[in-house]
Amino acid sequence: MAKYELRKLMRFTVAIFAVVFSVYIIGGTFSSASGETILDGLTVTNELRCSKYKRSNWGSGWLSLRGTGLNTREEVLIAESLTKDGMWLGPYNGVILRDASNTDVDHMVPLKEACESGGRDWSTEKKKKYANFQLTPNHLIVTSAGANRSKGARDPAQWMPANKSYWCTYLLDWTDIKRAWGLTVDKAEAAAIKLHWKTCAKFSNGIKTGR
């Protein structure tokens, strides 16, 4: 419960700052790290091919694993809502969402990408755990449905958020999750991460509203 409240407090603070100053800056300043540092501890190698990838192998939809009576999507929506009646920040495009039906809960590192980066041979239980994991901030995040579907299963060499102010945070979360789960990065992915990291601290975008 304390972790949920902390996540809500952090997101609420960012939202208030954004509204008051009309600036949406999630990324912050990350100039102290280099493109090489952000890749520390990650193995750069060719991707595996998951020709038989099936979402059902990672759990049939959102599961209920925490004894709350809610499934993972419902828990994440509650944890990340900025208000009691439901309001979310969609960081990929800087949109404020007020209708849960227009949200997706996204895997920061998509399931198919995880499969191709070393998760292919995980046990079914570990795959389900990964698909529903909530103990690491931003492993699962609320996004606008359109932004999530634009991203699909693509890595940073193929897709980056439209909201460039989120790029530093996005790259940090992406690499942290891959490192924590022992997942690899391919050469193009590593090169893109280093390239985007060099410039991400420059960006800030105005906030948008949507329903």
Side-chain angles (χ1 to χ4, degrees), residues 99-117:
D99 185 342
S101 66
N102 291 330
T103 68
D104 276 357
V105 172
D106 181 41
H107 297 89
M108 172 63 66
V109 177
L111 300 183
K112 189 172 187 293
E113 171 68 19
C115 182
E116 294 176 341
S117 303

Side-chain angles (χ1 to χ4, degrees), residues 87-156:
M87 184 178 80
W88 299 268
L89 282 174
Y92 291 170
N93 50 8
V95 168
I96 291 177
L97 301 158
R98 296 184 176 86
D99 185 342
S101 66
N102 291 330
T103 68
D104 276 357
V105 172
D106 181 41
H107 297 89
M108 172 63 66
V109 177
L111 300 183
K112 189 172 187 293
E113 171 68 19
C115 182
E116 294 176 341
S117 303
R120 183 180 66 181
D121 299 322
W122 288 349
S123 68
T124 299
E125 287 307 308
K126 187 170 182 179
K127 289 176 180 177
K128 290 180 180 179
K129 180 180 179 181
Y130 179 90
N132 293 273
F133 195 70
Q134 297 184 57
L135 297 181
T136 302
N138 296 333
H139 184 95
L140 297 172
I141 61 170
V142 176
T143 71
S144 69
N148 183 38
R149 292 162 201 183
S150 169
K151 172 184 173 181
R154 293 184 287 180
D155 68 29

Side-chain angles (χ1 to χ4, degrees), residues 4 7 62 71-81 88 104-106 132-134 140-142:
Y4 276 10
R7 284 173 77 182
W62 297 111
N71 65 32
T72 299
R73 170 182 162 82
E74 292 166 337
E75 291 177 345
V76 174
L77 284 172
I78 291 170
E80 296 200 358
S81 178
W88 299 268
D104 276 357
V105 172
D106 181 41
N132 293 273
F133 195 70
Q134 297 184 57
L140 297 172
I141 61 170
V142 176

